C-alpha cells in the first residue's frame, strides 16, 4: 500500500474518533435513564439546581406534594440543557410520579429565560420511611448538576371520615332494606361491621362505600356498627339503629242502618236499627211478606176447623 493512501486511512480513522468523542461530550442525552456524574458522563458539576424544599420534607403515605425545581448555571445558550428525574435514581421508586426530562424552553419549562429551567413535579409517597429524591440537570460539554431532597414519610394520624346514614324501620318480612356508608381516607385499610356487638362482616377497604343488607330480621331493635381503619391504625365508627316491627292488623267495623216507615193516621214514625259486626238482622222488607203468608195459612186452617165442626154437629162428619 502506498504511503499517501495509508496516511489518508489513518487520518480518516482519527477524524471518526474525534467526532465520536466530541459528540459524546456535547450532547445531554435527554432520553438516557442512567444517572449522570459517572466517569465520562456529565461529570463536571458546574450547573446549579435547587428546589422549594428548605430541609427535610415531611410527607404522608398516599398524599401528594409538589417540588418546584429551578436549574441554571448553563452558558451554552443553545437549549442543549435538560432537567431529568427517573424512578431508578436513589429512592425515587418509593414515590409515584411521572418520569420526565424537560429541555430548556421546551414543553414543561416554566421559565422562559434561556439557560434556565423551572419545573413543578407532583410526588406521592407509597411507603413509610426516610428517602432521598434525586434530580439531575445536564448540558453540553459534559456539564451537570444534581439535587438530593430528603423526604420523611409517615402514616396519616387523622382518623378516617365516616358519614351517618339515617336509622331504618321496616315491617317484618319486608325486603329491600340496606345500610350504606360512604367513609373516606387517603390510606384506607379495612372495615368491620357488628350487629348488637357480634361481628357480621369484615374485610379490606379500598376507600369505596360499604353496604350491608338488613332484611329477614325477626321483630326487634338492632344496632349495626361500622368501624373503618386506615393504614396508620386510626379508626372511626358509626352506628345505625334498625327497628323491625310486627305487621299491623287492621280491624274493620261495619255499621248497617235500616229505616222502616209505617203509614198510619198518627204522625210519621221512623225506626232505625243498628247492627253490630257478626250479628245478622233481617230488615222490614223481608218481614212484611213473611207475616202475610203466615196469616193467610192460619186463616185457612181456622176456616177448615169451623166447617168440620159444623158438619160434625149435623151428623155429616
Amino acid at each position: 500500500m502506498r504511503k499517501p493512501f495509508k496516511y489518508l486511512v489513518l487520518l480518516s480513522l482519527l477524524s471518526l474518533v474525534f467526532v465520536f468523542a466530541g459528540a459524546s461530550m456535547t450532547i445531554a442525552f435527554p432520553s438516557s435513564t442512567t444517572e449522570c456524574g459517572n466517569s465520562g458522563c456529565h461529570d463536571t458539576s458546574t450547573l446549579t439546581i435547587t428546589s422549594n424544599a428548605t430541609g427535610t420534607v415531611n410527607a404522608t403515605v398516599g398524599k401528594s406534594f409538589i417540588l418546584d425545581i429551578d436549574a441554571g448555571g448553563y452558558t451554552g445558550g443553545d437549549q442543549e440543557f435538560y432537567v431529568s428525574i427517573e424512578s431508578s435514581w436513589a429512592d425515587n421508586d418509593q414515590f409515584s410520579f411521572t418520569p420526565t426530562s424537560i429541555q430548556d424552553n421546551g414543553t414543561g419549562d416554566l421559565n422562559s429565560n434561556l439557560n434556565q429551567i423551572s419545573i413543578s413535579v407532583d410526588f406521592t409517597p407509597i411507603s413509610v420511611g426516610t428517602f432521598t429524591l434525586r434530580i439531575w440537570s445536564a448540558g453540553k460539554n459534559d456539564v451537570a448538576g444534581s439535587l438530593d431532597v430528603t423526604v420523611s414519610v409517615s402514616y396519616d394520624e387523622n382518623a378516617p371520615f365516616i358519614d351517618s346514614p339515617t336509622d331504618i324501620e321496616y315491617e317484618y318480612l319486608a325486603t329491600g332494606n340496606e345500610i350504606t356508608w360512604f367513609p373516606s381516607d387517603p390510606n384506607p385499610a379495612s372495615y368491620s361491621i357488628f350487629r348488637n356487638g357480634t361481628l357480621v362482616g369484615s374485610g379490606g377497604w379500598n376507600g369505596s362505600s360499604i353496604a350491608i343488607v338488613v332484611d329477614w330480621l325477626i321483630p326487634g331493635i338492632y344496632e349495626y356498627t361500622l368501624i373503618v381503619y386506615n393504614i396508620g391504625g386510626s379508626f372511626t365508627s358509626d352506628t345505625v339503629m334498625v327497628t323491625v316491627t310486627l305487621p299491623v292488623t287492621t280491624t274493620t267495623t261495619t255499621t248497617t242502618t235500616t229505616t222502616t216507615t209505617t203509614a198510619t193516621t198518627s204522625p210519621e214514625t221512623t225506626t232505625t236499627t243498628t247492627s253490630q259486626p257478626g250479628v245478622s238482622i233481617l230488615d222490614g222488607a223481608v218481614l212484611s211478606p213473611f207475616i202475610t203468608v203466615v196469616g193467610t195459612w192460619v186463616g185457612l186452617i181456622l176456616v177448615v176447623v169451623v166447617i168440620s165442626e159444623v158438619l160434625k154437629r149435623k151428623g155429616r162428619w
Side-chain angles (χ1 to χ4, degrees):
M1 182 178 294
R2 291 177 297 176
K3 288 185 178 180
F5 185 73
K6 289 182 179 179
Y7 294 146
L8 182 60
V9 171
L10 289 174
L11 287 173
S12 298
L13 291 172
L14 288 173
S15 298
L16 289 173
V17 170
F18 284 123
V19 168
F20 178 78
S24 65
M25 292 176 64
T26 59
I27 300 176
F29 295 113
S31 62
S32 176
T33 59
T34 303
E35 271 198 75
C36 299
N38 296 319
S39 178
C41 177
H42 300 97
D43 54 3
T44 305
S45 299
T46 59
L47 302 182
T48 60
I49 182 167
T50 59
S51 76
N52 58 329
T54 56
T56 299
V57 176
N58 294 312
T60 302
V61 172
K63 289 187 176 181
S64 64
F65 64 92
I66 295 176
L67 279 184
D68 296 324
I69 301 163
D70 297 304
Y74 186 68
T75 58
D78 51 13
Q79 295 183 258
E80 293 299 322
F81 173 41
Y82 296 83
V83 172
S84 300
I85 310 172
E86 293 292 337
S87 58
S88 59
W89 300 346
D91 299 322
N92 293 3
D93 58 353
Q94 299 299 315
F95 301 85
S96 174
F97 69 99
T98 301
T100 187
S101 183
I102 304 300
Q103 184 178 12
D104 187 12
N105 278 352
T107 301
D109 183 7
L110 305 178
N111 192 329
S112 60
N113 295 325
L114 198 62
N115 297 333
Q116 296 179 13
I117 300 175
S118 295
I119 63 174
S120 289
V121 183
D122 194 318
F123 297 92
T124 302
I126 59 177
S127 59
V128 172
T130 301
F131 307 106
T132 298
L133 272 173
R134 182 164 296 162
I135 303 99
W136 277 96
S137 63
K140 286 172 61 176
N141 298 320
D142 211 25
V143 294
S146 66
L147 171 67
D148 283 354
V149 177
T150 301
V151 182
S152 177
V153 184
S154 61
Y155 289 120
D156 187 357
E157 295 180 358
N158 296 320
F161 165 80
I162 188 170
D163 62 334
S164 185
T166 57
D167 295 337
I168 294 175
E169 180 175 332
Y170 70 89
E171 192 175 287
Y172 178 55
L173 297 183
T175 58
N177 303 288
E178 182 179 88
I179 305 172
T180 301
W181 287 275
F182 294 91
S184 62
D185 191 271
N187 302 292
S190 61
Y191 75 93
S192 297
I193 300 177
F194 297 85
R195 182 180 63 215
N196 293 346
T198 300
L199 182 67
V200 293
S202 63
W205 173 45
N206 61 6
S208 61
S209 61
I210 299 171
I212 184 170
V213 175
V214 294
D215 290 339
W216 313 113
L217 297 172
I218 62 174
I221 299 175
Y222 303 86
E223 287 186 354
Y224 278 85
T225 300
L226 169 69
I227 304 177
V228 287
Y229 303 85
N230 61 22
I231 293 177
S234 299
F235 63 91
T236 303
S237 66
D238 178 71
T239 298
V240 175
M241 303 299 297
V242 177
T243 302
V244 183
T245 61
L246 287 169
V248 177
T249 302
T250 302
T251 302
T252 303
T253 302
T254 303
T255 302
T256 303
T257 302
T258 303
T259 303
T260 302
T261 302
T262 305
T264 64
T265 57
S266 60
E268 182 177 322
T269 300
T270 301
T271 303
T272 301
T273 304
T274 303
S275 65
Q276 296 299 320
V279 179
S280 179
I281 298 176
L282 295 174
D283 68 17
V286 176
L287 288 174
S288 295
F290 177 78
I291 293 171
T292 301
V293 172
V294 171
T296 301
W297 277 100
V298 171
L300 288 174
I301 292 171
L302 289 175
V303 170
V304 171
V305 171
V306 171
I307 293 173
S308 299
E309 187 64 28
V310 172
L311 290 176
K312 183 177 179 181
R313 291 180 180 183
K314 289 183 177 182
R316 295 181 182 180
W317 185 257

